[in-house]
Amino acid sequence: QLVESGGGSVQAGGSLTLSCVASGYTFSSCCMGWFRQAPGKEREAVATIFTSVGSTYYADSVKGRFTISKDNAKKTVYLQMGSLKPEDTAMYYCARRRAGSWCTASFSDFPYWGQGTQVTVS
């Protein structure tokens, strides 16, 4: 199970931190990702992290503004979002691949999803 929190409304230039708490599986060796989907657009990868080694990926659109991190003891993945822009407005989802699978940026490779948390930037 994946449960996101931390979304909300913020003015352009502001910051938000999203959290994703995982349960029911081995957290310490898997790929976790944050994806987003705006109305009328495809779901896209924002950032991923492999929990055992901490290797990360960022979409070009968020590089330098967003940071993905994890706390293995808390089974939690975070997405720190800064310098937010109106185009960052979307539903943000936490997802994971099956244990042992490498990280990818394709949403179809992630079988497990949270319910999403809305981020609105005005």
Side-chain angles (χ1 to χ4, degrees):
Q1 185 180 12
L2 301 171
V3 180
E4 304 101 330
S5 62
S9 296
V10 64
Q11 290 189 336
S15 301
L16 281 175
T17 296
L18 307 183
S19 300
C20 172
V21 180
S23 62
Y25 68 97
T26 301
F27 180 83
S28 60
S29 182
C30 67
C31 177
M32 301 290 297
W34 284 99
F35 292 76
R36 66 186 181 187
Q37 187 166 21
K41 294 189 176 181
E42 284 193 356
R43 191 168 297 192
E44 62 175 354
V46 176
T48 65
I49 188 166
F50 198 79
T51 56
S52 60
V53 297
S55 52
T56 58
Y57 156 86
Y58 294 95
D60 287 343
S61 58
V62 306
K63 279 181 182 176
R65 301 189 298 122
F66 291 10
T67 302
I68 189 169
S69 61
K70 44 86 177 182
D71 185 328
N72 287 3
K74 295 182 178 179
K75 293 189 175 183
T76 301
V77 175
Y78 305 96
L79 185 69
Q80 295 173 277
M81 304 184 295
S83 301
L84 283 162
K85 305 175 181 179
E87 51 263 44
D88 294 317
T89 295
M91 184 72 79
Y92 283 70
Y93 298 90
C94 176
R96 74 168 179 94
R97 296 202 70 194
R98 289 187 173 87
S101 298
W102 294 109
C103 275
T104 74
S106 174
F107 72 86
S108 61
D109 291 334
F110 289 73
Y112 307 106
W113 292 83
Q115 81 287 353
T117 185
Q118 178 68 38
V119 172
T120 302
V121 185
S122 59

